[in-house]
């Protein structure tokens, strides 16, 4: 049994995936398997892997079920101690996996480890140095767009790990559950990280685990689909995961953020997309509240501890 399973979801990303797999082949850490879960690609991804990467284990889904379903299928197919998630549009440094494994080995209270993720087309610029959650009721990538430098070169505790490139203890996933498949893509890592924190598991940022990320290569950074999923899924996190006392305490800031989002959607010509997202979130409330009750049964962290990780919006924009 390999110690680590690296799970890579893919949908029509043949050339990006090839580069990703080539970089994995150069890892200093050897005790791992690579599992690619293909979401019904039609671009020759499967044929490329079978001919060029025969050691990669492939799970071929019949259609595009989204990031969360693909990742969960990969996790459920493995039984390793650690599970690494990796986007197909990434290139990992040779010490990536060894650095993440060493960090979790050395920090038993850490349930996950976050990589230093840099933009592929601007390799001196941060894409994510872990994830944050702020009092306005949404999360995102720490340090996004900032120049890489001393501020990002020290390990430390962060709110969550970006699912673009990270490592989880299987024990944590067994305890709190896998990615929420209703998210499809976006904010599923914020939700998972929040559930882990509530259950008493922390996340450590590992600056030596370097990854280069193309970013939004599958969905499209300006697509209506992306805007819909981001707007809907941040409301999913509020309804499902954010403790009630924190929700009430920050209600004004959350409402202000939602009003600002409405104004931006009008300026960008996409108010219908935002309205659809909010209607979809409202329709999902019964299921989200059921999940909320289940999350409450695993919570061990205090409200004071959770609040210590919730940051002002201005720190990250």
């Amino acid at each position: 049994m390999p110690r680590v399973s690296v799970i890579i979801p893919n949908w029509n990303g043949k050339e990006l995936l090839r580069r990703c797999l080539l970089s994995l082949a150069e890892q200093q850490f050897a005790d791992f398997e690579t599992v690619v879960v293909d979401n019904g690609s039609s671009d020759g991804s499967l044929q490329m892997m079978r001919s060029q990467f025969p050691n990669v284990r492939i799970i071929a889904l019949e259609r595009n079920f989204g990031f969360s379903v693909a990742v969960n299928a990969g996790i459920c197919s493995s039984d390793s101690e650690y599970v690494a998630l990796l986007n197909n549009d990434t290139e990992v440094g040779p010490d990536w996996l060894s650095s993440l494994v060493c960090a979790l080995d050395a920090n038993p209270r850490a349930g996950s480890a976050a990589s230093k993720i840099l933009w592929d087309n601007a390799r001196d610029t941060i894409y994510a140095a872990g994830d944050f959650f702020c009092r306005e009721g949404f999360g995102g990538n720490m340090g996004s767009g900032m120049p890489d430098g001393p501020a990002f070169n020290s390990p430390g505790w962060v709110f969550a790990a970006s699912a673009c490139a990270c490592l989880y203890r299987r024990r944590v996933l067994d305890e709190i559950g896998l990615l929420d498949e209703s998210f499809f893509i976006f904010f599923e890592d914020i939700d998972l990280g929040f559930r882990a924190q509530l259950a008493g598991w922390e996340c450590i940022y590992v600056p030596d685990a370097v990854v280069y990320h193309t970013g939004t290569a599958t969905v499209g950074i300006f697509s209506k689909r992306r805007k819909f999923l981001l707007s809907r899924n941040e409301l999913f996190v509020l309804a499902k995961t954010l403790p009630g006392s924190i929700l009430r305490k920050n209600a004004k800031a959350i409402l202000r953020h939602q009003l600002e989002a409405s104004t931006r959607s009008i300026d960008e010509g996409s108010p219908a997309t935002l309205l659809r997202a909010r209607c979809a979130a409202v329709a999902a409330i019964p299921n989200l509240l059921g999940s909320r009750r289940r999350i409450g049964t695993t919570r061990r962290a205090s409200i004071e501890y959770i609040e210590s990780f919730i940051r002002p919006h201005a720190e990250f924009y």
Side-chain angles (χ1 to χ4, degrees), residues 242-312:
L242 187 64
S245 60
I246 298 178
L247 182 61
R248 291 188 294 272
K249 183 175 181 179
N250 294 289
K252 289 183 180 179
I254 292 169
L255 179 59
R256 184 170 60 250
H257 167 66
Q258 292 298 323
L259 291 173
E260 290 170 352
S262 298
T263 301
R264 283 197 305 273
S265 73
I266 295 171
D267 293 340
E268 295 168 358
S270 59
T273 300
L274 181 60
L275 180 60
R276 284 195 306 110
R278 288 174 173 172
C279 288
V282 170
I285 282 177
N287 289 333
L288 295 170
L289 293 180
S291 298
R292 186 182 188 89
R293 287 189 289 271
R294 288 191 293 274
I295 292 169
T297 65
T298 65
R299 180 179 142 192
R300 293 195 297 270
S302 68
I303 290 297
E304 292 74 21
Y305 168 76
I306 297 300
E307 283 190 311
S308 72
F309 274 98
I310 295 179
R311 305 302 188 200

Side-chain angles (χ1 to χ4, degrees), residues 113-157:
S115 307
K116 178 196 276 190
I117 308 172
L118 302 168
W119 284 100
D120 184 55
N121 63 352
R123 294 193 167 197
D124 57 353
T125 304
I126 296 290
Y127 174 88
D131 280 351
F132 70 87
F133 193 84
C134 68
R135 64 188 181 90
E136 282 84 1
F138 67 94
N141 299 330
M142 292 186 66
S144 180
M146 297 179 66
D148 187 18
F152 299 103
N153 289 339
S154 298
W157 301 106

Side-chain angles (χ1 to χ4, degrees), residues 90-109:
T90 58
E91 177 185 339
V92 294
D95 298 325
W96 173 67
L97 203 48
S98 60
S99 298
L100 293 176
V101 170
C102 287
L104 289 192
D105 283 348
N107 295 279
R109 71 183 192 181

Side-chain angles (χ1 to χ4, degrees), residues 10-248:
N10 177 66
W11 181 61
N12 289 334
K14 182 176 70 172
E15 296 307 320
L16 293 167
L17 178 62
R18 178 188 285 115
R19 187 186 69 157
C20 178
L21 294 175
L22 286 171
S23 69
L24 272 176
E26 301 299 321
Q27 289 301 290
Q28 299 296 323
F29 184 88
D31 191 10
F32 74 96
E33 65 168 347
T34 302
V35 182
V36 175
V37 185
D38 187 80
N39 264 321
S41 292
S42 58
D43 68 341
S45 290
L46 294 175
Q47 294 86 340
M48 181 274 293
M49 286 187 285
R50 287 167 180 155
S51 64
Q52 299 180 27
F53 301 95
N55 293 328
V56 170
R57 186 156 61 86
I58 301 170
I59 299 174
L61 304 181
E62 60 185 15
R63 60 182 176 86
N64 185 9
F65 289 96
F67 180 88
S68 299
V69 169
V71 166
N72 287 350
I75 294 172
C76 290
S77 76
S78 67
D79 56 2
S80 54
E81 177 186 359
Y82 293 137
V83 174
L85 306 186
L86 190 63
N87 279 13
N88 65 348
D89 60 342
T90 58
E91 177 185 339
V92 294
D95 298 325
W96 173 67
L97 203 48
S98 60
S99 298
L100 293 176
V101 170
C102 287
L104 289 192
D105 283 348
N107 295 279
R109 71 183 192 181
S112 58
S115 307
K116 178 196 276 190
I117 308 172
L118 302 168
W119 284 100
D120 184 55
N121 63 352
R123 294 193 167 197
D124 57 353
T125 304
I126 296 290
Y127 174 88
D131 280 351
F132 70 87
F133 193 84
C134 68
R135 64 188 181 90
E136 282 84 1
F138 67 94
N141 299 330
M142 292 186 66
S144 180
M146 297 179 66
D148 187 18
F152 299 103
N153 289 339
S154 298
W157 301 106
V158 294
F159 182 78
S162 169
C164 165
C166 61
L167 188 69
Y168 293 102
R169 294 186 193 275
R170 179 172 297 276
R171 177 183 169 190
V172 175
L173 300 175
D174 289 342
E175 179 181 338
I176 68 172
L178 305 181
L179 296 180
D180 188 331
E181 295 180 358
S182 68
F183 282 61
F184 192 81
I185 191 173
F186 302 129
F187 279 98
E188 74 290 319
D189 47 3
I190 297 291
D191 169 70
L192 184 63
F194 217 138
R195 284 187 276 137
Q197 290 282 1
L198 289 169
W201 291 101
E202 300 182 41
C203 179
I204 190 165
Y205 166 64
V206 186
D208 292 336
V210 177
V211 178
Y212 304 101
H213 185 215
T214 300
T216 325
T218 299
V219 179
I221 193 168
F222 298 114
S223 69
K224 289 183 179 180
R225 181 65 169 162
R226 179 176 183 269
K227 290 178 180 178
F228 170 84
L229 291 169
L230 286 170
S231 300
R232 185 198 65 174
N233 291 354
E234 74 173 37
L235 294 175
F236 276 10
V237 174
L238 291 179
K240 173 187 173 184
T241 319
L242 187 64
S245 60
I246 298 178
L247 182 61
R248 291 188 294 272

